[in-house]
Amino acid sequence: MIESLTNYHIVGIGLGLIMLILGSIIDVWKREIHDYYWIGFGIIGFLLVFLSSEIIPNILMMGFALIIAPFVILIWRIGLFGGADAFALIALAVIAPMATFTENPVTPFTTLSNAAILFVIPFLINITRNVISQSKGENIFEGFDESTIKKIVAAFMGYRSKNPKFGFAIEKTENGKKKIDLTIHHAENQEFCTTPNTWITPGIPYLLLITGGFVIQLFFGDIILTKFLGT
């Protein structure tokens, strides 16, 4: 681990972890986090830099880390994840810019890229759930008129829920027949499905993956860069 980490960086890392962990709990519980939450942590993180021994270098690092801001705002506006996720990454860039305990490379995008890799976990959970259901003799695609390929994709994307709560419907009815609908859903504008016995893709709180991505950044670095560079 890097021995030159100062108290400023340690405090920033701790503050960033507190922000993400508490935010994840709120996101799972309410599925909504007020913008003031991120603004408050961002202000604290910015003021924290003036308590460091190297103010200018740390401000410059913060500015460099903030190049992620326009990118995540664009992703948010497209609808690939929510505003809370974008603001969390921006606040994190202020509080603990490119923080890591390792010698492995990191960039302003490391937390996000690590989180994207973790996104494979929900797919594995979905396919495992569907395989178990099939092994129990359940006809999870009963009434569907679809190709095998599309059913396989749907099995990775979601599952048939008896009582949907936090998920988006991935089925529709055309000419009296059920069809799989793999349209990309806007993370903030799309309503959660409440229709019983409907195929859904779970609305995963992406903030959980961001938190995981930041933890990996701290103790491993950038997964993609580290593997690519062979360090």
Side-chain angles (χ1 to χ4, degrees), residues 94-107:
V94 174
I95 296 170
M98 296 185 295
T100 184
F101 292 123
T102 77
E103 297 289 349
N104 291 333
V106 296
T107 75

Side-chain angles (χ1 to χ4, degrees), residues 123-135 138 140 155 158-161 202:
F123 294 118
L124 296 177
I125 293 174
N126 289 336
I127 192 66
T128 300
R129 181 198 294 262
N130 289 319
V131 168
I132 292 174
S133 295
Q134 284 284 82
S135 66
E138 296 181 25
I140 58 177
Y159 59 93
R160 187 174 182 175
S161 177

Side-chain angles (χ1 to χ4, degrees), residues 30 33 68 87 101 112 152 156 181-182 185 209-210 215 218:
K30 291 188 172 182
I33 304 177
I68 194 176
F87 296 143
F101 292 123
L112 181 60
I152 292 174
F156 278 97
D181 181 13
L182 299 178
H185 301 280
L209 304 183
I210 291 174
V215 172
L218 291 178

Side-chain angles (χ1 to χ4, degrees), residues 186-206:
H186 196 288
E188 290 198 340
N189 298 337
Q190 187 74 26
E191 295 290 334
F192 287 125
C193 175
T194 57
T195 305
N197 295 315
T198 302
W199 267 84
I200 65 168
T201 183
I204 304 297
Y206 199 76

Side-chain angles (χ1 to χ4, degrees), residues 105 110 113-115 117-118 213 216-217 220-229:
T110 293
S113 64
N114 286 347
I117 292 174
L118 292 178
I216 293 173
Q217 174 179 310
F220 182 80
D222 191 302
I223 296 176
I224 296 176
L225 280 181
T226 299
K227 293 301 182 182
F228 179 75
L229 297 176

Side-chain angles (χ1 to χ4, degrees), residues 5-161:
L5 282 173
T6 64
N7 289 336
Y8 159 71
H9 292 106
I10 295 297
V11 172
I13 289 170
L15 185 63
L17 284 171
I18 291 172
M19 177 189 73
L20 291 176
I21 292 172
L22 287 180
S24 295
I25 293 172
I26 296 172
D27 200 16
V28 171
W29 178 32
K30 291 188 172 182
R31 297 301 174 105
E32 184 178 8
I33 304 177
H34 201 285
D35 295 346
Y36 290 141
Y37 180 86
W38 310 112
I39 293 173
F41 272 100
I43 290 174
I44 294 173
F46 179 73
L47 294 177
L48 186 65
V49 74
F50 294 100
L51 300 179
S52 66
S53 58
E54 299 180 326
I55 296 177
I56 299 302
N58 287 326
I59 288 179
L60 291 176
M61 179 179 290
M62 183 188 300
F64 179 64
L66 281 170
I67 66 174
I68 194 176
F71 180 75
V72 295
I73 288 174
L74 176 61
I75 294 178
W76 164 40
R77 300 310 296 174
I78 292 174
L80 296 183
F81 59 42
D85 306 313
F87 296 143
L89 288 165
I90 294 171
L92 190 62
V94 174
I95 296 170
M98 296 185 295
T100 184
F101 292 123
T102 77
E103 297 289 349
N104 291 333
V106 296
T107 75
F109 299 91
T110 293
T111 296
L112 181 60
S113 64
N114 286 347
I117 292 174
L118 292 178
F119 198 68
V120 71
I121 295 176
F123 294 118
L124 296 177
I125 293 174
N126 289 336
I127 192 66
T128 300
R129 181 198 294 262
N130 289 319
V131 168
I132 292 174
S133 295
Q134 284 284 82
S135 66
K136 291 180 178 179
E138 296 181 25
N139 185 0
I140 58 177
F141 287 108
E142 183 179 2
F144 278 86
D145 180 24
E146 288 289 5
S147 65
T148 301
I149 294 297
K150 208 164 186 179
K151 288 179 179 178
I152 292 174
V153 173
F156 278 97
M157 293 290 294
Y159 59 93
R160 187 174 182 175
S161 177

